[in-house]
């Protein structure tokens, strides 16, 4: 419950490419200790030949299991299916893009980076070389190595599929820039963050849920506790702004 007796929303945390729900374990412990209900989702494109629509359905299925409002926290690639899903869900109060792809309708991950769409979108993108440096540069060594060992190939189709809807145009959103990110450089995050109603920064690499879960948990709860109607630092969703 909030201070005025209103039930808190449930936090749905959505992982990025090559990862799985396991990556949120440290953060969800912090959030649980703060009295928040949390849920995770397993995106089928990590480890299976699935595309954006499959991932979107997985997010929507989890949102339908939530009784009441939800705040969705999307990391990295997870921002793409979340953007599509929240346009269709009726219970999302806010979206938090954590070093995530806040794309618009018609855009894809490969297209955003100016990369060609493969002629054959089937198959997988291998786990990147040196994932510890890329994803976990500020995570303690043993924990970083353990995380890297759990990464799985990512479906190529998930990177080439384009969005058909952009939920952030109607649902309030906040962007969290990871200032020392080696996977999604801060300059790209700054561009994407311009689509959000508010922006925060955290002095972390790409995976603050592993490197600084306490600080990230405090920031997420601060965002989730604030109203999403344009007050207290939040602007209106893009579709409602006079810009």
């Amino acid at each position: 419950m909030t201070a005025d007796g209103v039930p808190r929303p449930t936090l749905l945390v959505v992982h990025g490419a090559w990862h799985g729900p396991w990556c949120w374990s440290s953060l969800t412990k912090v959030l649980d200790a703060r009295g928040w209900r949390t849920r995770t989702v397993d995106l089928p494109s990590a480890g299976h030949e699935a595309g954006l629509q499959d991932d979107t359905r997985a997010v929507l299925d989890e949102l339908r299991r939530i009784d009441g409002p939800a705040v969705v926290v999307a990391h990295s690639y997870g921002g793409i299916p979340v953007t599509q899903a929240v346009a269709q869900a009726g219970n999302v109060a806010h979206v938090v893009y954590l070093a995530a792809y806040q794309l618009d309708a018609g855009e894809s991950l490969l297209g955003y980076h100016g990369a060609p769409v493969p002629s054959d979108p089937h198959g997988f993108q291998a786990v990147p070389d040196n994932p510890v440096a890329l994803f976990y540069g500020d995570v303690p060594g043993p924990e970083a190595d353990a995380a890297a060992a759990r990464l799985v190939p990512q479906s190529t189709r998930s990177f080439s599929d384009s969005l058909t809807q952009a939920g952030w145009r109607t649902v309030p959103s906040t962007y969290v820039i990871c200032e020392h990110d080696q996977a999604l450089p801060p300059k790209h995050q700054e561009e994407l963050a311009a689509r959000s109603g508010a922006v925060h920064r955290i002095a972390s690499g790409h995976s603050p849920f592993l490197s600084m879960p306490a600080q990230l948990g405090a920031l997420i709860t601060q965002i989730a506790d604030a109203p999403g109607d344009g007050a207290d630092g939040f602007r209106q969703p893009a579709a409602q702004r006079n810009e």
Side-chain angles (χ1 to χ4, degrees):
M1 292 283 184
T2 61
D4 55 3
V6 177
R8 280 175 163 172
T10 297
L11 300 175
L12 175 62
V13 289
V14 182
H15 66 82
W18 300 290
H19 286 70
W22 54 265
C23 72
W24 297 111
S25 177
S26 296
L27 177 65
T28 56
K29 288 177 182 176
V30 170
L31 296 171
D32 291 347
R34 286 174 165 264
W36 288 82
R37 298 182 304 275
T38 60
R39 299 185 73 97
T40 61
V41 61
D42 194 355
L43 297 180
S45 63
H48 303 278
E49 199 166 338
L52 170 59
Q53 298 307 322
D54 302 294
D55 288 344
T56 298
R57 281 192 292 272
V59 175
L60 281 169
D61 287 346
E62 202 60 46
L63 284 169
R64 293 187 184 110
R65 296 185 183 102
I66 295 173
D67 183 16
V71 170
V72 185
V73 180
H75 180 243
S76 197
Y77 162 77
I80 301 176
V82 163
T83 292
Q84 183 91 4
V86 300
Q88 304 171 39
N91 62 332
V92 178
H94 206 91
V95 182
V96 180
Y97 289 92
L98 175 64
Y101 287 91
Q102 187 171 355
L103 302 185
D104 206 349
E107 296 180 339
S108 67
L109 186 149
L110 291 178
Y112 173 76
H113 288 291
V117 175
S119 56
D120 181 3
H122 297 94
F124 293 91
Q125 298 294 306
V127 174
D129 294 336
N130 199 1
V132 169
L134 190 65
F135 299 136
Y136 315 123
D138 55 347
V139 177
E143 189 176 358
D145 290 339
R150 300 189 69 169
L151 299 176
V152 297
Q154 179 74 18
S155 167
T156 297
R157 190 152 53 96
S158 65
F159 287 174
S160 60
D161 286 349
S162 297
L163 285 162
T164 59
Q165 296 172 284
W168 52 265
R169 289 192 169 276
T170 53
V171 177
S173 63
T174 296
Y175 202 101
V176 178
I177 294 172
C178 295
E179 295 179 319
H180 306 307
D181 199 328
Q182 300 299 306
L184 183 58
K187 68 175 182 178
H188 292 314
Q189 294 182 53
E190 296 279 359
E191 293 173 356
L192 296 164
R195 295 169 168 175
S196 270
V199 180
H200 294 269
R201 290 169 173 79
I202 190 166
S204 78
H206 192 60
S207 306
F209 42 84
L210 293 177
S211 63
M212 48 180 66
Q215 296 93 320
L216 179 60
L219 177 56
I220 288 172
T221 58
Q222 173 192 334
I223 294 167
D225 265 332
D229 59 1
D232 290 350
F234 292 112
R235 298 204 308 268
Q236 293 291 338
Q240 299 174 15
R241 297 183 209 142
N242 295 316
E243 295 181 359

Short mmCIF file of all heavy atoms in Angstrom, two decimals, residues 196-239:
data_model
loop_
_atom_site.label_atom_id
_atom_site.label_comp_id
_atom_site.label_asym_id
_atom_site.label_seq_id
_atom_site.Cartn_x
_atom_site.Cartn_y
_atom_site.Cartn_z
N SER A 196 10.90 9.53 -23.87
CA SER A 196 10.28 9.28 -22.56
C SER A 196 9.85 10.58 -21.90
O SER A 196 10.34 11.67 -22.24
CB SER A 196 11.26 8.54 -21.64
OG SER A 196 11.13 7.15 -21.76
N GLY A 197 8.97 10.45 -20.92
CA GLY A 197 8.49 11.62 -20.21
C GLY A 197 9.45 12.14 -19.17
O GLY A 197 9.36 13.30 -18.76
N ALA A 198 10.34 11.29 -18.67
CA ALA A 198 11.33 11.69 -17.68
C ALA A 198 12.57 10.84 -17.86
O ALA A 198 12.51 9.73 -18.42
CB ALA A 198 10.78 11.52 -16.26
N VAL A 199 13.71 11.37 -17.43
CA VAL A 199 14.98 10.68 -17.61
C VAL A 199 15.74 10.68 -16.30
O VAL A 199 15.83 11.71 -15.61
CB VAL A 199 15.83 11.34 -18.71
CG1 VAL A 199 17.17 10.61 -18.88
CG2 VAL A 199 15.08 11.40 -20.03
N HIS A 200 16.29 9.52 -15.93
CA HIS A 200 17.20 9.40 -14.80
C HIS A 200 18.50 8.80 -15.30
O HIS A 200 18.54 8.16 -16.36
CB HIS A 200 16.60 8.50 -13.71
CG HIS A 200 15.38 9.06 -13.06
ND1 HIS A 200 15.43 9.84 -11.93
CD2 HIS A 200 14.06 8.96 -13.39
CE1 HIS A 200 14.20 10.19 -11.58
NE2 HIS A 200 13.35 9.67 -12.45
N ARG A 201 19.54 8.96 -14.52
CA ARG A 201 20.84 8.38 -14.86
C ARG A 201 21.39 7.61 -13.68
O ARG A 201 21.17 7.98 -12.53
CB ARG A 201 21.83 9.49 -15.27
CG ARG A 201 21.48 10.12 -16.60
CD ARG A 201 22.29 11.38 -16.89
NE ARG A 201 22.04 11.85 -18.24
CZ ARG A 201 20.97 12.55 -18.61
NH1 ARG A 201 20.06 12.88 -17.68
NH2 ARG A 201 20.79 12.93 -19.86
N ILE A 202 22.09 6.52 -13.99
CA ILE A 202 22.70 5.71 -12.96
C ILE A 202 24.13 5.39 -13.41
O ILE A 202 24.38 5.12 -14.59
CB ILE A 202 21.87 4.43 -12.69
CG1 ILE A 202 22.36 3.70 -11.45
CG2 ILE A 202 21.82 3.53 -13.90
CD1 ILE A 202 21.39 2.64 -10.96
N ALA A 203 25.08 5.48 -12.50
CA ALA A 203 26.50 5.32 -12.84
C ALA A 203 26.86 3.84 -12.88
O ALA A 203 27.56 3.31 -12.01
CB ALA A 203 27.38 6.06 -11.83
N SER A 204 26.37 3.16 -13.92
CA SER A 204 26.58 1.71 -14.01
C SER A 204 26.89 1.32 -15.44
O SER A 204 26.72 2.10 -16.37
CB SER A 204 25.33 0.97 -13.54
OG SER A 204 24.34 0.98 -14.56
N GLY A 205 27.29 0.06 -15.60
CA GLY A 205 27.39 -0.54 -16.91
C GLY A 205 26.02 -0.99 -17.37
O GLY A 205 24.98 -0.52 -16.88
N HIS A 206 25.99 -1.96 -18.28
CA HIS A 206 24.74 -2.36 -18.91
C HIS A 206 23.81 -3.11 -17.97
O HIS A 206 22.61 -3.20 -18.25
CB HIS A 206 25.06 -3.24 -20.12
CG HIS A 206 23.90 -3.49 -21.03
ND1 HIS A 206 23.21 -2.47 -21.67
CD2 HIS A 206 23.29 -4.66 -21.42
CE1 HIS A 206 22.24 -2.99 -22.41
NE2 HIS A 206 22.27 -4.31 -22.27
N SER A 207 24.33 -3.65 -16.88
CA SER A 207 23.53 -4.55 -16.03
C SER A 207 23.50 -4.11 -14.58
O SER A 207 24.00 -4.81 -13.69
CB SER A 207 24.08 -5.98 -16.14
OG SER A 207 24.16 -6.41 -17.47
N PRO A 208 22.89 -2.97 -14.26
CA PRO A 208 22.87 -2.51 -12.87
C PRO A 208 22.06 -3.41 -11.94
O PRO A 208 22.25 -3.35 -10.72
CB PRO A 208 22.23 -1.12 -12.97
CG PRO A 208 21.45 -1.14 -14.24
CD PRO A 208 22.22 -2.02 -15.17
N PHE A 209 21.21 -4.27 -12.50
CA PHE A 209 20.48 -5.22 -11.66
C PHE A 209 21.42 -6.24 -11.03
O PHE A 209 21.06 -6.89 -10.05
CB PHE A 209 19.38 -5.93 -12.48
CG PHE A 209 19.80 -6.32 -13.86
CD1 PHE A 209 20.48 -7.50 -14.11
CD2 PHE A 209 19.52 -5.48 -14.93
CE1 PHE A 209 20.88 -7.85 -15.38
CE2 PHE A 209 19.90 -5.83 -16.22
CZ PHE A 209 20.59 -7.01 -16.45
N LEU A 210 22.64 -6.38 -11.59
CA LEU A 210 23.65 -7.23 -11.00
C LEU A 210 24.73 -6.43 -10.27
O LEU A 210 25.23 -6.85 -9.23
CB LEU A 210 24.32 -8.10 -12.08
CG LEU A 210 23.44 -9.16 -12.74
CD1 LEU A 210 24.22 -9.87 -13.84
CD2 LEU A 210 22.93 -10.16 -11.72
N SER A 211 25.10 -5.28 -10.82
CA SER A 211 26.21 -4.52 -10.24
C SER A 211 25.80 -3.63 -9.07
O SER A 211 26.58 -3.40 -8.16
CB SER A 211 26.90 -3.67 -11.31
OG SER A 211 26.00 -2.70 -11.84
N MET A 212 24.58 -3.10 -9.10
CA MET A 212 24.11 -2.22 -8.02
C MET A 212 22.61 -2.38 -7.82
O MET A 212 21.84 -1.44 -8.03
CB MET A 212 24.51 -0.77 -8.30
CG MET A 212 24.19 -0.26 -9.70
SD MET A 212 24.70 1.49 -9.93
CE MET A 212 26.48 1.37 -9.80
N PRO A 213 22.18 -3.58 -7.42
CA PRO A 213 20.73 -3.82 -7.30
C PRO A 213 20.05 -2.94 -6.26
O PRO A 213 18.89 -2.57 -6.44
CB PRO A 213 20.65 -5.30 -6.93
CG PRO A 213 21.99 -5.65 -6.37
CD PRO A 213 22.96 -4.79 -7.11
N ALA A 214 20.75 -2.60 -5.18
CA ALA A 214 20.12 -1.75 -4.15
C ALA A 214 19.83 -0.36 -4.69
O ALA A 214 18.73 0.18 -4.50
CB ALA A 214 21.01 -1.67 -2.91
N GLN A 215 20.81 0.23 -5.39
CA GLN A 215 20.60 1.56 -5.95
C GLN A 215 19.54 1.54 -7.04
O GLN A 215 18.69 2.43 -7.13
CB GLN A 215 21.92 2.12 -6.51
CG GLN A 215 22.99 2.34 -5.46
CD GLN A 215 23.93 1.15 -5.31
OE1 GLN A 215 23.51 -0.02 -5.34
NE2 GLN A 215 25.21 1.43 -5.16
N LEU A 216 19.57 0.51 -7.89
CA LEU A 216 18.58 0.42 -8.95
C LEU A 216 17.19 0.20 -8.36
O LEU A 216 16.21 0.81 -8.81
CB LEU A 216 18.93 -0.71 -9.91
CG LEU A 216 17.94 -0.92 -11.06
CD1 LEU A 216 17.83 0.32 -11.94
CD2 LEU A 216 18.33 -2.15 -11.90
N GLY A 217 17.10 -0.65 -7.34
CA GLY A 217 15.81 -0.88 -6.71
C GLY A 217 15.23 0.39 -6.11
O GLY A 217 14.03 0.65 -6.23
N ALA A 218 16.07 1.19 -5.48
CA ALA A 218 15.61 2.46 -4.91
C ALA A 218 15.09 3.39 -6.00
O ALA A 218 14.07 4.07 -5.82
CB ALA A 218 16.73 3.12 -4.12
N LEU A 219 15.79 3.42 -7.13
CA LEU A 219 15.37 4.30 -8.22
C LEU A 219 14.05 3.82 -8.84
O LEU A 219 13.14 4.62 -9.10
CB LEU A 219 16.46 4.35 -9.29
CG LEU A 219 16.14 5.19 -10.54
CD1 LEU A 219 15.78 6.62 -10.18
CD2 LEU A 219 17.33 5.16 -11.51
N ILE A 220 13.93 2.52 -9.06
CA ILE A 220 12.70 1.99 -9.65
C ILE A 220 11.51 2.25 -8.74
O ILE A 220 10.44 2.66 -9.21
CB ILE A 220 12.85 0.48 -9.95
CG1 ILE A 220 13.80 0.27 -11.13
CG2 ILE A 220 11.49 -0.16 -10.23
CD1 ILE A 220 14.16 -1.17 -11.38
N THR A 221 11.67 2.05 -7.45
CA THR A 221 10.54 2.30 -6.54
C THR A 221 10.21 3.78 -6.46
O THR A 221 9.04 4.15 -6.33
CB THR A 221 10.83 1.73 -5.15
OG1 THR A 221 12.04 2.31 -4.61
CG2 THR A 221 11.00 0.23 -5.18
N GLN A 222 11.22 4.63 -6.58
CA GLN A 222 10.95 6.07 -6.63
C GLN A 222 10.10 6.41 -7.85
O GLN A 222 9.13 7.18 -7.76
CB GLN A 222 12.28 6.84 -6.70
CG GLN A 222 12.12 8.34 -6.93
CD GLN A 222 13.45 9.01 -7.27
OE1 GLN A 222 14.51 8.53 -6.89
NE2 GLN A 222 13.40 10.10 -8.01
N ILE A 223 10.45 5.83 -8.99
CA ILE A 223 9.69 6.08 -10.21
C ILE A 223 8.28 5.50 -10.10
O ILE A 223 7.29 6.15 -10.44
CB ILE A 223 10.42 5.47 -11.42
CG1 ILE A 223 11.76 6.19 -11.65
CG2 ILE A 223 9.57 5.55 -12.68
CD1 ILE A 223 12.69 5.47 -12.62
N ALA A 224 8.19 4.27 -9.61
CA ALA A 224 6.89 3.59 -9.56
C ALA A 224 5.95 4.22 -8.54
O ALA A 224 4.73 4.14 -8.68
CB ALA A 224 7.09 2.12 -9.23
N ASP A 225 6.51 4.86 -7.51
CA ASP A 225 5.69 5.51 -6.49
C ASP A 225 5.14 6.85 -6.96
O ASP A 225 4.20 7.38 -6.37
CB ASP A 225 6.50 5.75 -5.22
CG ASP A 225 6.31 4.63 -4.20
OD1 ASP A 225 5.24 4.00 -4.21
OD2 ASP A 225 7.24 4.40 -3.40
N ALA A 226 5.73 7.43 -8.01
CA ALA A 226 5.29 8.74 -8.48
C ALA A 226 4.10 8.58 -9.41
O ALA A 226 3.98 7.58 -10.12
CB ALA A 226 6.43 9.44 -9.22
N PRO A 227 3.19 9.54 -9.44
CA PRO A 227 2.05 9.45 -10.35
C PRO A 227 2.51 9.53 -11.79
O PRO A 227 3.48 10.20 -12.11
CB PRO A 227 1.18 10.66 -9.98
CG PRO A 227 2.13 11.63 -9.34
CD PRO A 227 3.17 10.78 -8.65
N GLY A 228 1.81 8.84 -12.67
CA GLY A 228 2.17 8.81 -14.08
C GLY A 228 1.31 9.71 -14.93
O GLY A 228 1.12 9.47 -16.11
N ASP A 229 0.74 10.77 -14.36
CA ASP A 229 -0.22 11.57 -15.09
C ASP A 229 0.33 12.93 -15.49
O ASP A 229 -0.42 13.84 -15.79
CB ASP A 229 -1.48 11.77 -14.23
CG ASP A 229 -1.17 12.45 -12.90
OD1 ASP A 229 0.01 12.77 -12.66
OD2 ASP A 229 -2.10 12.65 -12.12
N GLY A 230 1.66 13.05 -15.48
CA GLY A 230 2.25 14.32 -15.87
C GLY A 230 2.70 15.14 -14.68
O GLY A 230 3.35 16.16 -14.83
N ALA A 231 2.37 14.71 -13.46
CA ALA A 231 2.77 15.44 -12.25
C ALA A 231 4.13 14.95 -11.77
O ALA A 231 4.65 13.93 -12.18
CB ALA A 231 1.72 15.24 -11.16
N ASP A 232 4.71 15.72 -10.83
CA ASP A 232 5.94 15.33 -10.15
C ASP A 232 7.06 14.93 -11.12
O ASP A 232 7.72 13.92 -10.93
CB ASP A 232 5.68 14.19 -9.17
CG ASP A 232 4.86 14.65 -7.98
OD1 ASP A 232 4.65 15.87 -7.82
OD2 ASP A 232 4.42 13.80 -7.22
N GLY A 233 7.24 15.71 -12.14
CA GLY A 233 8.36 15.47 -13.04
C GLY A 233 8.03 14.66 -14.26
O GLY A 233 8.84 14.53 -15.16
N PHE A 234 6.84 14.04 -14.32
CA PHE A 234 6.46 13.27 -15.49
C PHE A 234 5.71 14.15 -16.46
O PHE A 234 4.76 14.83 -16.10
CB PHE A 234 5.57 12.08 -15.10
CG PHE A 234 6.30 11.03 -14.32
CD1 PHE A 234 6.01 10.80 -12.99
CD2 PHE A 234 7.29 10.28 -14.92
CE1 PHE A 234 6.69 9.83 -12.28
CE2 PHE A 234 7.97 9.30 -14.21
CZ PHE A 234 7.66 9.08 -12.88
N ARG A 235 6.13 14.14 -17.74
CA ARG A 235 5.36 14.81 -18.77
C ARG A 235 4.29 13.86 -19.28
O ARG A 235 4.33 12.66 -19.03
CB ARG A 235 6.28 15.21 -19.93
CG ARG A 235 7.36 16.20 -19.51
CD ARG A 235 7.85 17.00 -20.70
NE ARG A 235 8.23 16.16 -21.81
CZ ARG A 235 9.46 15.71 -22.01
NH1 ARG A 235 10.41 15.98 -21.14
NH2 ARG A 235 9.74 14.97 -23.05
N GLN A 236 3.35 14.40 -20.03
CA GLN A 236 2.32 13.57 -20.62
C GLN A 236 2.93 12.67 -21.69
O GLN A 236 3.98 12.97 -22.25
CB GLN A 236 1.24 14.46 -21.25
CG GLN A 236 0.43 15.27 -20.25
CD GLN A 236 -0.47 14.39 -19.41
OE1 GLN A 236 -0.80 13.28 -19.80
NE2 GLN A 236 -0.86 14.87 -18.26
N PRO A 237 2.28 11.51 -21.97
CA PRO A 237 2.74 10.69 -23.09
C PRO A 237 2.81 11.51 -24.37
O PRO A 237 2.08 12.49 -24.53
CB PRO A 237 1.66 9.59 -23.19
CG PRO A 237 1.06 9.55 -21.83
CD PRO A 237 1.12 10.96 -21.29
N ALA A 238 3.67 11.07 -25.29
CA ALA A 238 3.94 11.86 -26.49
C ALA A 238 2.69 12.19 -27.27
O ALA A 238 2.55 13.28 -27.82
CB ALA A 238 4.93 11.10 -27.39
N ALA A 239 1.73 11.26 -27.35
CA ALA A 239 0.53 11.49 -28.14
C ALA A 239 -0.33 12.59 -27.55
O ALA A 239 -1.20 13.13 -28.22
CB ALA A 239 -0.27 10.20 -28.26
#
